[in-house]
Amino acid sequence: MDLPAPVFELKHVSQQFGQFSALTDISLQIYPGERVALVGSSGAGKSTLLQLLNGTLRSTQGEVWAMGRNLSQLSSKRLRQIQQQIGTIYQQLHLVDNLRVIHNVNAGQLGRWSFLKALTSLIVPLETETAIKALSQVGIAEKVYERTDRLSGGQQQRVAIARVLVQNPIVILADEPIASLDPELSREVMDLLRNLAQQTHRTLIVSLHDVDFARSHCDRIIGLRQGKVLFDAAPHQVSPDLIADLYRLESHR
Amino acid sequence: MTVTPSLKWGLIGLAAIVLSLAQAGLFQQDLFNLNGAPLLWKFIVASVHPDFSPELLQTTFNATLTTLAYAVCGTFFSLILGIIGGVLTSEVWWLSFGQPSRFWLLIRGFLAAPRAIHELIWGLFFVNIWGLDPLTAIVAITIPFGAITAKVFSEILDETPRQPLLILLNSGFSPLTAFFYSLLPQAFLNLLSYTFYRFECSIRSAAVLGIIGAGGLGYEIFLSLQSLRYEQLWTFFYALFILNGLVDLSSAWLRRQLGCSSRLDLNLQQTKKKQAPKDIVRRRYFLLLPVSLALLALCFWVINPDFSKLWALRTQQLLGQFVRSALPPDFSEVPRLIPQAIETVSMSVLAIAFSAFGGLLLAFPAANNFFLPGGLLNSNPGKSANLLPQIMLLLSRAILLMCRAIPAPIWALVVLFVMFPGILPGAIALGLHNLGILGRLMAEVIENQDQRPLEALKAQGTPNSLIFLYGVLPLTMPRFVAYSLYRWEVCMRETVIVGLVGAGGLGRSLTEQLSSFDYRSLIVTLGGFLMLTFLVDWVSATARRSLR
C-alpha cells in the first residue's frame, strides 16, 4: 500500500531532563487526517512528546521530522515557518490574560503579520472579521472585546481554540485541553476539536486523561507509560486490560 | 470606544509630565552651565584611578563599617517597632480578640505622619538635640522605617487567609495562641521577605544620613566632593557599590532559599503563582537567626550608641524647648509655600517619569531569563558562542547598582556641575537614584513572569519582536506601572533630600528653617509637606486600584 508522507515522524527519540528520562526510544509516524489520542498517567511523557512535535523542545537523542523537515537542523527562521503550520492548544493558562480577547485571538496570526501591523492592531484591532468568525465557531463571539481574565475557564479554553482557528494550521496539537473543565464542557470542547479536524481534514493530536473521550473522539490511541509506548492501536483494539496496565503503579508490578 | 482606565490614567500621566516640564522651565530658561564641563570630566576621569593609598583604604573600611552598622541597627529597631505597630494596627488582631472596634484604623492614621517625613529631616531634627551621635542616625532611620514596616506588616497580616485562624478561635483556643499558631506561620515568609527589602533600603538611607554629618560613607563622599578630591571620592563610591551589591545579592539569595521570589508584593491580583519551592531548603531558617544576631552585636559594638541620651534630662529639656519655640505656628510664609509645593510635585513627577523610562530600558537586559542562552528570546538556541547577552546583563546590572548605590543628594551635586540649580537637576538626581531601584524591581518582575503564555506564542512560530509586543509587554506592564506609582510616593518624600543641596521645592525651605531654628515656620512647612504627601499617596493608590 502506498501511504502518503507522514506529517510527523519520530526516529528513536529520547528526551532527558537532567537525570530524569522523560521519553525513551520513541519511534512513530503520524499521517495526515489522523486523530490521535495520547493517554497515560501524569508524568508519562505526553506533554514532552507534544513539545517535541511543535518544536518547543529539541530531542536529546533521535530525530523529530515534521512535514518532511528535520526539526533539529532548521535555522530559527525556517523553524518558525514550520511552527506556523502547527497549532497548539494548551490549558487556558497559556493566554496573555490581561489583553482583550481579540488580541489573544489575533495572536494566532502573528507569524504572518509584520511588526507594524501587529503594533497597529494593538491600538486599533485589525482583521476583526476573521477573529469574530473564529469566536462564533467556538460560540463566544460576543466576548470579542472583553478582557481575557474576565472570562470563565471554559470560555478561555474556547479563546485558545479560536486562536488556533485563526492560525489555520495543518496540524492541531492539544495538551490536556479538558483537564480543568466539567464533563459537560469537556464534551463540547472535544466535539469542537473533532469537528474541526474532520471538516477540514486536519491532523489532530490530543493528550487526554480520559480514555473514554479518546475512544469516542479519536481514531488512534497511543498509550504512554514511563516514557515508552505501551500500545499504539485503533480504539476497538484497546482492551480494558491494556488500559489497566497503563495506569498501574510501578510498585504493583 | 469607551475610555479605558489605562487610557485615562495614561493621558493624566502624560499631562502631568508636560506640565512639570514647563514648570521646570524647560521651554524658557538656560538650563545647562557648560562652564562646569571640565570639572565633570575631571570627576569622570577620576573613576579609573581611585585613591588606593593605605590610609584612605583604612578610612574607607571604617566608613563602610559605620554605614553598615547604622543600617543594621536601624533595621533592627524598625523591625521591633514594625512588629508591635503592625500587629496593633492590623484588623485581624483586634478581630481575634473579638473587638470589632475601629481602634486599629486610628493607630494606622497616627503612624502616617512619621512615615511621610524623610529620614533626613528626622536626622536634621535630632542633630539639633543630640548632636552628631550615632544615636541620631539610628533613630532617624528607625522612626520612619518603623512606621513603614508597621504599615506593610499590618497589610500582610490582614491579607493572609483568615480561615485557619477562625477555625482555631472557634474551637476555643485563646486568641494569642490562635494568632501564633495560624496567622503568623502563614505570613512569616512575606514578613521576612519584606524585612530583607527594608534592610536594602536602610543601607541606602544610612549613606544619605552621612551627608548631614552622621559619619559613614555618605559623609566621606560629601566631604571629598566638596573639597574636589575626586580620586578619594571614587574609592568611597566603589566601597558603596560593593556594600550595596553584597547586601542586594545576599538578600536576593536568602529570599530565593526561602522561596519568596518578590521583594515587595504590591498586592496586584495573585494569578498563576509559581510552584512552592522544594522543602529541602526550609531547614536553613535556623541558621539565619544566629548569623543576624552576631551581625547585630558586631554593629552595636562598632558604633556604640549612647542610649542613655534617649531618656536623659537634657533631651527632655531640649524637646520641651522645641515644642515651646514651635508654638504658635507662623503662617506668614504660606504665600511663599504654594509655588514651592507646586515645584515639589513637579520634581517628583519628572523624577519618576525619568526613572520609570530608564528602568524599563535597563530591566530587560538585566533580567536573566530573556536573552541569555536558553532564555526565551535568545535567537540562537544551541549555539552559545555569542557573548553579547552576558555582557549586556553585567553592564545593565552594574549601571543599575551604581545608580541606586549613590545617594540622590550626591547625584544632585554631580548634576549641578553642568546644570543651573533648579527643580530639573533635582529631578534628574532623584530620577537616577530611583532608576536603579526601579530597574532592579522591574527585572525581578520579568524574571518571575509566567513563561507559559510566551512559550505558547513561540510554539506557533511568532517572531521574537512580536512575542515581546503581544506577550512580554502586556503581561509585565501592569506591575511596572504599579511599582512606578509606588516609587512616585517615595520620590515625593525624597524631594526633601535634594532640596538640601539647593534643588528647590519645599525641601529647601524645610532644611533652611531647620538650620536657622525657625521652628514656628517649620511646623507650617512640614504640615504643608505632609498634606502634599498624602495627596500624592492618594492619587497613586487610586490609580493603582483602577489599573488593576
Side-chain angles (χ1 to χ4, degrees), chain B residues 53-132:
Chain B
S53 63
E55 310 88 71
L56 193 77
L57 284 182
Q58 184 61 44
T59 316
T60 312
F61 179 76
N62 291 339
T64 311
L65 212 55
T66 309
T67 300
L68 176 72
Y70 286 162
V72 170
C73 300
T75 310
F76 173 69
F77 287 118
S78 49
L79 191 61
I80 292 177
L81 279 189
I83 290 170
I84 298 170
V87 167
L88 286 183
T89 56
S90 66
E91 188 187 7
V92 67
W93 171 261
W94 297 103
L95 200 79
S96 50
F97 280 94
Q99 297 201 343
S101 75
R102 298 262 137 186
F103 188 53
W104 57 278
L105 264 179
L106 198 77
I107 314 180
R108 226 181 240 200
F110 176 72
L111 283 176
R115 203 169 65 226
I117 299 172
H118 195 272
E119 310 78 276
L120 197 74
I121 296 291
W122 285 113
L124 285 171
F125 174 70
F126 286 117
V127 161
N128 286 351
I129 293 180
W130 296 317
L132 292 175

Side-chain angles (χ1 to χ4, degrees), chain B residues 31-40 417-420:
Chain B
L31 295 169
F32 290 98
N33 170 16
L34 293 178
N35 295 332
L39 214 54
L40 183 67
F417 281 158
V418 284
M419 288 186 81
F420 290 111

Side-chain angles (χ1 to χ4, degrees), chain B residues 326-508:
Chain B
L327 295 172
D330 178 2
F331 289 97
S332 64
E333 294 277 304
V334 172
R336 212 167 59 93
L337 288 184
I338 289 164
Q340 284 181 352
I342 296 172
E343 273 183 18
T344 301
V345 176
S346 307
M347 196 181 344
S348 72
V349 168
L350 289 180
I352 199 59
F354 183 83
S355 54
F357 183 69
L360 195 61
L361 284 185
L362 285 168
F364 285 101
N368 62 13
N369 60 340
F370 269 80
F371 300 111
L372 291 189
L376 195 77
L377 297 187
N378 185 281
S379 46
N380 309 309
K383 296 168 207 158
S384 59
N386 195 352
L387 277 174
L388 190 67
Q390 271 98 337
I391 295 170
M392 295 225 310
L393 180 97
L394 284 179
L395 195 68
S396 50
R397 287 196 171 180
I399 295 175
L400 290 177
L401 175 63
M402 189 173 115
C403 283
R404 67 173 179 270
I406 298 180
I410 301 294
W411 274 125
L413 289 174
V414 172
V415 173
L416 284 175
F417 281 158
V418 284
M419 288 186 81
F420 290 111
I423 59 175
L424 199 59
I428 293 175
L430 272 183
L432 278 171
H433 178 67
N434 278 286
L435 183 158
I437 300 164
L438 211 47
R440 170 81 193 242
L441 288 172
M442 286 174 174
E444 245 177 22
V445 169
I446 300 170
E447 286 172 5
N448 292 336
Q449 175 59 48
D450 186 359
Q451 299 282 303
R452 288 174 295 188
L454 310 178
E455 277 161 10
L457 285 175
K458 195 177 170 72
Q460 57 167 29
T462 311
N464 286 345
S465 57
L466 293 184
I467 295 179
F468 190 78
L469 198 62
Y470 271 72
V472 179
L473 221 48
L475 283 170
T476 49
M477 207 37 93
R479 266 170 195 273
F480 283 179
V481 172
Y483 276 135
S484 302
L485 284 166
Y486 157 76
R487 240 16 249 190
W488 179 40
E489 299 171 26
V490 181
C491 269
M492 181 62 207
R493 291 159 170 71
E494 288 183 341
T495 53
V496 172
I497 62 176
V498 288
L500 180 74
V501 291
L506 284 174
R508 190 175 184 173

